């Protein structure tokens, strides 16, 4: 295998600033994906908007039930939804985006202190390169393992901006509570015990990763993707979008749709591990990001994962005479997913029975 895992000669941000034409290894190759051509402006996706307060408590029981069925329907068709009334104010979210923006605005010399090390996914840089012909993404990112707290590698955590660590730490706490609420609501929406999913994700070991991404303006958005098509390996992903520009697209029934930006909503998508646990009832959607000629885009993605040492598999109550078991059990899906990717296999297909 050609590993060639070196950090980029030039970051996407530098190329964008210098007005470089994207090098050939960034050019979208339709034959390298089964997900169709690159479309910069497909139709907007009518992604359901879910009111989180109504999922938890509502004076009217029917009101809660109707929001829970909306959640189930959203996750079994689109695999994602826009969460509103999550308790985080517009100014709070703006501050989170702002600290990430200030990090990316620092001179390269300063950001270099957090550079990803060869062979590791953590740190500032771009995607690991596994093969010579891997198409590159037009983005720069900082990837951090945030929880468990005692596994943080602080050498990758920026000290500049000086409020970076504190801001991300606080945001983590808030994202954690929102994710517990969503895991419980998903269980209720499937008529399961409320802690049926949350016990794997939040009760014993908390695993949370953060990816802070900059998609700089790209001179040729028709030829270059910001992030190639993939599904997340997470349980759920909580994404804070840039209110200034769209870019995220989801695949549904073989067609691409643009995800609308709702200023103070969190975009929540299911990851593969929840598709497995729900025995395929809920979907982990394939998604990608397109670039924009004039505008840069910043997004903040938080990924919840179960304890890598524990097996996960379809919940027993979702396997019955009417619905056979669709997936095997799997441990450490992150590593499994990575191995599948290197073999050119889709991890979700590899765990199918
Ligand atoms: O930046 C985005 O909008 C999506 C990011 C994403 O899909 C990911 O990091 O897995
Ligand atoms: Fe993703």
């Amino acid at each position: 295998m050609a590993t060639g895992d070196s950090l980029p000669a030039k970051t996407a941000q530098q190329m964008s600033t210098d007005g470089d034409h994207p090098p050939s290894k960034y050019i979208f190759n339709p034959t390298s994906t089964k997900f169709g051509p690159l479309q910069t402006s497909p139709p907007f996706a009518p992604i359901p908007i879910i009111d989180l307060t109504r999922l938890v408590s509502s004076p009217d029981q029917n009101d809660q039930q109707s929001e829970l069925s909306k959640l189930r329907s959203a996750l079994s068709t689109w695999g994602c939804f826009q969460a509103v009334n999550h308790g985080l104010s517009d100014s709070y979210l703006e501050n989170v985006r702002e600290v990430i923006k200030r990090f990316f605005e620092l001179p390269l010399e300063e950001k270099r202190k957090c550079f990803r090390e060869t062979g590791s996914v953590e740190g500032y840089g771009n995607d690991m390169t596994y093969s010579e012909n891997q198409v590159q993404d037009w983005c720069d990112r900082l990837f951090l393992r945030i929880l468990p707290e005692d596994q943080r590698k602080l050498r990758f955590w920026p000290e500049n901006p000086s409020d970076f660590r504190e801001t991300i730490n606080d945001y983590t706490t808030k994202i954690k509570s929102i994710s517990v609420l969503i895991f419980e609501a998903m269980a209720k929406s499937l008529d399961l015990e409320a802690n049926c999913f949350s016990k794997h994700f939040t009760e014993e070991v908390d695993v949370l990763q953060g990816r802070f991404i900059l998609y700089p303006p790209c001179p040729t958005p028709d030829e270059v993707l910001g992030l190639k098509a993939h599904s997340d390996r997470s349980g759920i992903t909580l994404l804070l979008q840039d209110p200034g520009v769209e870019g995220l697209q989801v695949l549904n029934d073989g067609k691409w749709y643009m995800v609308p930006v709702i200023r103070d909503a969190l975009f929540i998508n299911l990851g593969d591990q929840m598709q497995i646990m729900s025995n395929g009832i809920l979907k982990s959607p394939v998604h990608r990001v397109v670039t924009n000629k004039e505008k840069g885009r910043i997004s903040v993605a938080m990924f919840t994962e179960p304890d890598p040492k524990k097996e996960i598999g379809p919940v027993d109550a979702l396997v019955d005479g009417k619905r056979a078991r669709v997936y095997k059990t799997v441990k450490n899906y992150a590593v499994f997913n990575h191995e599948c990717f290197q073999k050119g296999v889709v991890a979700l297909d590899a765990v199918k029975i």
Side-chain angles (χ1 to χ4, degrees):
M1 183 190 65
T3 47
D5 177 34
S6 55
L7 288 160
K10 227 171 164 179
T11 64
Q13 189 178 13
Q14 282 174 300
M15 290 191 281
S16 178
T17 310
D18 294 351
D20 295 1
H21 191 88
S24 57
K25 61 180 183 179
Y26 284 81
I27 307 299
F28 177 79
N29 174 2
T31 60
S32 74
T33 172
K34 56 180 188 190
F35 300 118
L38 198 171
Q39 295 163 270
T40 49
S41 327
F44 278 105
I47 293 173
I49 298 175
I50 306 275
D51 182 331
L52 294 196
T53 54
R54 287 178 67 194
L55 282 179
V56 197
S57 58
S58 172
D60 178 357
Q61 191 71 15
N62 291 335
D63 197 44
Q64 185 183 9
Q65 275 312 326
S66 91
E67 210 63 11
L68 285 171
S69 14
K70 201 163 140 194
L71 176 73
R72 176 179 173 152
S73 149
L75 291 177
S76 51
T77 53
W78 288 95
C80 54
F81 63 93
Q82 305 266 18
V84 296
N85 262 331
H86 42 58
L88 307 183
S89 70
D90 204 10
S91 60
Y92 180 85
L93 294 176
E94 198 44 47
N95 189 47
V96 174
R97 294 187 189 102
E98 194 51 38
V99 81
I100 306 297
K101 187 158 168 261
R102 281 191 276 125
F103 168 74
F104 282 114
E105 280 168 0
L106 292 170
L108 186 64
E109 285 320 303
E110 187 61 32
K111 288 180 291 205
R112 202 189 284 277
K113 294 181 184 162
C114 307
F115 248 179
R116 178 169 77 67
E117 288 155 8
T118 300
S120 149
V121 287
E122 214 170 338
Y124 165 68
N126 65 354
D127 213 357
M128 275 175 67
T129 306
Y130 303 108
S131 72
E132 290 292 319
N133 43 19
Q134 182 177 323
V135 180
Q136 301 286 312
D137 298 326
W138 188 261
C139 69
D140 298 333
R141 55 181 84 151
L142 173 67
F143 183 74
L144 299 176
R145 296 185 195 282
I146 302 178
L147 295 175
E149 211 173 320
D150 61 4
Q151 285 176 26
R152 285 184 189 175
K153 294 197 187 114
L154 286 177
R155 64 180 185 279
F156 296 120
W157 287 60
E159 282 181 290
N160 188 1
S162 57
D163 51 349
F164 179 94
R165 294 180 178 191
E166 190 190 321
T167 306
I168 296 309
N169 208 25
D170 191 72
Y171 185 56
T172 299
T173 314
K174 307 256 177 1
I175 284 295
K176 267 300 309 292
S177 328
I178 296 173
S179 65
V180 173
L181 184 160
I182 294 172
F183 279 120
E184 290 185 356
M186 287 194 290
K188 282 189 218 149
S189 80
L190 294 165
D191 293 321
L192 303 169
E193 292 273 320
N195 74 344
C196 163
F197 300 128
S198 60
K199 71 177 177 213
H200 293 283
F201 288 92
T202 52
E203 279 175 18
E204 285 157 24
V205 178
D206 273 341
V207 184
L208 189 90
Q209 284 142 13
R211 200 186 271 156
F212 311 101
I213 317 169
L214 170 73
Y215 302 93
C218 174
T220 54
D222 291 334
E223 290 181 344
V224 173
L225 277 175
L227 191 56
K228 59 180 85 58
H230 66 282
S231 63
D232 290 347
R233 66 175 200 218
S234 58
I236 55 170
T237 303
L238 301 95
L239 181 82
L240 180 59
Q241 293 210 75
D242 191 318
V245 57
E246 284 100 14
L248 178 62
Q249 303 187 343
V250 282
L251 189 68
N252 191 259
D253 256 344
K255 292 199 201 82
W256 284 104
Y257 294 85
M258 188 66 96
V259 173
V261 172
I262 303 180
R263 190 176 173 87
D264 50 2
L266 289 170
F267 174 81
I268 314 289
N269 69 269
L270 214 77
D272 291 356
Q273 301 195 65
M274 272 300 299
Q275 175 161 332
I276 295 171
M277 283 190 195
S278 70
N279 201 24
I281 296 174
L282 308 181
K283 304 272 180 284
S284 168
V286 171
H287 52 286
R288 67 182 182 187
V289 178
V290 292
T291 58
N292 186 286
K293 206 168 177 153
E294 277 88 36
K295 294 184 183 169
R297 175 173 182 269
I298 279 182
S299 62
V300 182
M302 303 288 256
F303 306 91
T304 59
E305 298 222 23
D307 182 350
K309 294 192 283 307
K310 293 223 173 106
E311 291 213 305
I312 58 131
V315 168
D316 286 342
L318 298 177
V319 180
D320 56 28
K322 280 195 247 120
R323 192 173 181 90
R325 177 182 284 269
V326 182
Y327 296 107
K328 297 178 238 178
T329 51
V330 57
K331 218 196 285 190
N332 203 344
Y333 189 76
V335 169
F336 178 77
N337 186 50
H338 179 80
E339 286 166 359
C340 287
F341 176 78
Q342 286 186 315
K343 290 186 229 150
V345 176
V346 176
L348 267 182
D349 291 344
V351 275
K352 256 201 182 124
I353 288 177

